[in-house]
Amino acid sequence: MKLTEIRILTNTCIAKSTYLLTFQRHFDFIPGQVVGISNSHGQDPRLYSIASGNKDKNISILYKVNPEGLLTPDLQHLQTGAPLLVTEPFGTFTGNDEPAWWIANGTGVAPFVSMFFSGMTNNKTLIHGNREAESFFFSHEFSTLLSDHYIKCSTVEKIEGFYQGRLTDYLARLKEIPVSIKYYLCGSAEMVVDTRDLLISRGIPFDNIISEIYF
Amino acid sequence: MRKEHLFGKKPDEIENIARELALPKYATRQLIDWIYKKKITSIDEMSNLSKQVREKLNERFDLGLLPPVKEEVSADGTKKYLFPTHNGKFVETAVIPEKERLTVCVSTQVGCKMGCLFCMTGKQGFHGNLTATEIINQIHSLPEKDKITNIVYMGMGEPFDNLQNVLESLEILTSGYGYAMSPRRITVSTIGIIPAIVRFMEESKCHLAISLHSPFEEERSKLMPVENVYSLTDMIKTIQEYDFTKQQRISFEYIMFKGVNDMPKHIKELTRLLNKIKCRINLIRFHPIPGSPLRPSDEASIELFKNSLNDKSILTTIRKSRGQDISAACGMLSTNKDLKI
């Protein structure tokens, strides 16, 4: 993959171990696509979903520091102006205007942030699972526009207005789940597999389920 | 203090240990032989090293070998072993006897992150990478170790999501100091992580197998989420840059799902997609897993599919299902039940 050097504009801690990194947009992309990021030549780029609108001036990515990871332990310390190597965007986990449910845990919400800020909000429901209030990134923006179609499932912290428990528990308790729409799943392998199994058990055809797993 | 494992170390690392312990130069060779060539279970059995040296070694190191804790035997002779890891988890390893071959199917991860719709391993989530030591241990600690003819990296996990450890294990398996196996007897399977394919092709002479399962990108993405990141088109383009007409071979794995990927349009598209690559397609019967919406293609469809591809000059075989009664067959390995042993 061809790498281009960019300069970091911001690298802000927005929740426990989670950062929002931005750099100037030098390319077009389709909301939902990923970029590969590396901090040195010779190191394989790690993949991150773009978490900004496709008309925004800058590109953002969300990342959580993995203490055993190859990139994020260093990435968290990089300051404005630091160089970084980035691939062109790629991937086909991309959004459109069709009705859909977006289902994510943790930073898996990133591609939906991009779709949301690119205006693909018609007939969308976002179900986001996380541990505590501060980790529901862009919650204000989602609440404003998606209103009742934005469901926050908090597994650890008890918060008013949030579903207390895993997002799979939330889904399992629903009396009806629409069969004919698309389901976009993004996040950990465990969440994606459990949610996909649950949706299939509720009669959703497997080809209506589109998944992206962070690895 | 947790001891380091000698098993899995390369000659330069062993040389450093010998130097640190002020051992004579020839001790490096002796240590390597004890670790990889001889059947010992403890450092104390390294009888040509002095007691003092063995004590010094024992202070900091152990061999790192972990024998299997469970064995199941299929009616067809396939065996499945349960191996512990050094951090208290488990992986499964299958040993498949054939007429003149004994193939070991090794795992590379505890669980898997890839979430393929048809695979049992993915249902247990991801619980960690195996080290090179733990990968080779699945071969070295087998009762059948001396009879092994072939190794396939097709057990639990995605080998190319743990590439560094996989490459280190391949080096030990194929090097003279290690097991001196021919790379032509080892096949590493991947679902198609393109940067890792490139590195593997640059660093290994072992055979490559790619899980294909559909020649259509959209259809494949519903079966294998990785398609959304690394597309079939890019993967084929990458593969076409390498020469598979000599020693190193490439094969494509194709699990057959009834009414999903077993139709004439699939034969046509496979022919188009693979026509410039010297390869083989292995058709695999699907072994249904709980909750799966997929069903196995019937025997007649599989046979027809095979014959049609062979007629179009794509060498195609049907892989025998082995060990299904002990859940050792393709896509059935899982240690979910053993996580809390």
Side-chain angles (χ1 to χ4, degrees):
Chain A
M1 280 186 280
K2 194 184 157 208
L3 291 162
T4 306
E5 188 173 301
I6 53 92
R7 299 274 161 180
I8 292 174
L9 291 173
T10 61
N11 189 18
T12 315
C13 184
I14 57 168
K16 191 179 169 189
S17 309
T18 308
Y19 290 74
L20 185 72
L21 182 145
T22 64
F23 55 91
Q24 199 183 339
R25 180 163 71 88
H26 296 290
F27 41 69
D28 290 331
F29 67 90
I30 305 167
Q33 285 192 309
V34 300
V35 284
I37 290 191
S38 169
N39 60 356
S40 67
H41 283 288
Q43 185 197 53
D44 283 339
R46 305 293 300 163
L47 305 185
Y48 296 92
S49 293
I50 296 172
S52 46
N54 60 355
K55 296 283 183 282
D56 292 357
K57 230 169 70 185
N58 301 324
I59 298 273
S60 300
I61 61 148
L62 262 177
Y63 68 91
K64 186 163 184 157
V65 177
N66 171 6
E68 291 167 14
L70 293 173
L71 178 65
T72 54
D74 293 335
L75 195 59
Q76 65 179 320
H77 300 299
L78 295 183
Q79 308 280 325
T80 300
L84 211 52
L85 300 164
V86 179
T87 67
E88 286 187 0
F90 62 99
T92 53
F93 184 80
T94 50
N96 55 39
D97 289 325
E98 286 178 45
W101 281 20
W102 296 335
I103 301 174
N105 67 340
T107 55
V109 76
F112 306 128
V113 172
S114 180
M115 294 175 198
F116 178 87
F117 284 115
S118 302
M120 298 173 175
T121 52
N122 271 346
N123 296 308
K124 299 297 191 302
T125 294
L126 170 62
I127 302 171
H128 187 198
N130 227 322
R131 292 170 65 83
E132 56 272 300
E134 65 165 11
S135 301
F136 288 88
F137 324 113
F138 303 99
S139 161
H140 176 70
E141 290 87 340
F142 284 138
S143 296
T144 306
L145 211 63
L146 297 178
S147 183
D148 291 348
H149 291 271
Y150 173 42
I151 293 105
K152 293 166 276 186
C153 304
S154 173
T155 53
V156 176
E157 197 177 343
K158 278 190 180 169
I159 315 155
E160 203 185 326
F162 285 42
Y163 176 80
Q164 176 71 39
R166 294 158 66 93
L167 67 85
T168 42
D169 295 336
Y170 171 81
L171 288 166
R173 282 164 188 259
L174 290 178
K175 283 189 183 144
E176 277 183 37
I177 299 181
V179 173
S180 57
I181 62 163
K182 300 281 185 199
Y183 291 82
Y184 287 79
L185 319 181
C186 185
S188 68
E190 211 162 358
M191 184 284 287
V192 168
V193 170
D194 287 352
T195 304
R196 190 177 61 197
D197 283 355
L198 189 144
L199 293 173
I200 288 168
S201 75
R202 299 286 296 266
I204 313 298
F206 76 85
D207 49 5
N208 277 7
I209 304 170
I210 302 120
S211 311
E212 180 153 278
I213 291 175
Y214 282 179
F215 63 89
Chain B
M1 190 183 77
R2 200 169 172 170
K3 288 183 178 178
E4 272 185 69
H5 311 306
L6 289 176
F7 190 68
K9 290 204 183 294
K10 291 190 247 173
D12 57 334
E13 294 172 291
I14 295 169
E15 196 177 348
N16 285 341
I17 293 167
R19 197 177 305 124
E20 283 169 30
L21 298 178
L23 304 183
K25 218 169 179 185
Y26 59 82
T28 301
R29 187 68 250 172
Q30 288 175 319
L31 274 169
I32 291 170
D33 284 351
W34 281 115
I35 295 166
Y36 296 117
K37 306 281 189 204
K38 297 176 183 174
K39 291 172 188 166
I40 57 167
T41 54
S42 76
I43 288 170
D44 293 328
E45 291 172 62
M46 297 179 174
S47 55
N48 60 359
L49 299 179
S50 71
K51 196 178 172 200
Q52 197 189 5
V53 168
R54 281 180 272 153
E55 279 170 2
K56 273 188 188 174
L57 278 169
N58 268 320
E59 280 170 21
R60 277 178 52 198
F61 301 96
D62 60 21
L63 279 179
L65 293 171
L66 295 163
V69 294
K70 194 174 157 193
E71 175 188 337
E72 291 175 77
V73 185
S74 161
D76 67 20
T78 299
K79 288 183 182 173
K80 187 171 77 170
Y81 290 97
L82 183 69
F83 279 101
T85 66
H86 287 108
N87 56 3
K89 296 187 170 85
F90 295 90
V91 290
E92 291 185 327
T93 306
V95 177
I96 308 149
E98 288 162 279
K99 276 181 197 162
E100 287 163 6
R101 287 153 65 125
L102 186 68
T103 303
V104 183
C105 177
V106 296
S107 295
T108 53
Q109 295 180 314
V110 184
C112 185
K113 290 180 213 160
M114 300 300 134
C116 297
L117 185 62
F118 45 83
C119 178
M120 195 62 196
T121 305
K123 285 187 181 279
Q124 75 176 78
F126 174 71
H127 302 278
N129 284 327
L130 296 192
T131 60
T133 307
E134 289 164 336
I135 295 170
I136 306 169
N137 178 64
Q138 295 167 69
I139 296 152
H140 189 94
S141 294
L142 280 175
E144 300 89 345
K145 179 193 162 195
D146 295 333
K147 295 176 191 154
I148 295 166
T149 59
N150 296 71
I151 298 169
V152 293
Y153 283 60
M154 296 182 184
M156 295 170 60
E158 163 54 38
F160 282 7
D161 187 37
N162 184 19
L163 185 61
Q164 186 59 35
N165 288 317
V166 164
L167 288 172
E168 284 175 22
S169 69
L170 292 174
E171 188 198 311
I172 294 167
L173 287 170
T174 55
S175 295
Y177 71 81
Y179 297 86
M181 277 194 79
S182 164
R184 291 188 288 283
R185 293 190 174 274
I186 302 173
T187 303
V188 183
S189 178
T190 177
I191 61 168
I193 298 174
I194 294 170
I197 291 175
V198 172
R199 188 167 161 209
F200 174 82
M201 291 307 298
E202 283 165 5
E203 297 185 24
S204 177
K205 292 187 169 65
C206 296
H207 298 319
L208 179 65
I210 291 184
S211 297
L212 192 60
H213 311 318
S214 173
F216 299 110
E217 291 187 343
E218 196 178 341
E219 187 173 82
R220 190 172 186 261
S221 75
K222 308 291 168 54
L223 300 168
M224 307 168 73
V226 74
E227 172 66 36
N228 284 317
V229 181
Y230 296 117
S231 73
L232 199 51
T233 308
D234 290 343
M235 185 176 70
I236 295 294
K237 215 182 283 172
T238 303
I239 285 163
Q240 282 172 338
E241 287 172 22
Y242 298 97
D243 182 5
F244 291 102
T245 61
K246 299 195 176 92
Q247 308 279 15
Q248 195 171 26
R249 291 198 309 247
I250 186 165
S251 56
F252 292 92
E253 313 293 305
Y254 197 96
I255 304 178
M256 298 209 57
F257 306 111
K258 191 181 179 72
V260 175
N261 66 351
D262 59 355
M263 291 172 264
K265 66 176 183 179
H266 294 95
I267 296 167
K268 197 176 167 191
E269 184 61 11
L270 278 170
T271 310
R272 189 197 67 76
L273 197 70
L274 303 179
N275 80 344
K276 286 185 188 153
I277 304 170
K278 186 177 184 295
C279 64
R280 169 198 289 256
I281 296 181
N282 286 317
L283 302 179
I284 302 170
R285 293 176 183 87
F286 175 51
H287 306 107
I289 56 172
S292 171
L294 301 165
R295 294 288 167 263
S297 299
D298 54 59
E299 288 301 314
S301 302
I302 298 175
E303 195 65 32
L304 181 68
F305 208 84
K306 181 193 85 171
N307 293 339
S308 304
L309 285 166
N310 279 320
D311 287 347
K312 293 184 184 303
S313 303
I314 298 183
L315 179 61
T316 306
T317 52
I318 302 171
R319 187 186 289 166
K320 277 186 202 162
S321 281
R322 303 291 305 269
Q324 196 175 351
D325 54 338
I326 55 166
S327 295
C330 181
M332 297 179 86
L333 298 180
S334 169
T335 52
N336 215 10
K337 59 191 179 303
D338 307 302
L339 286 173
K340 287 175 189 157
I341 266 185

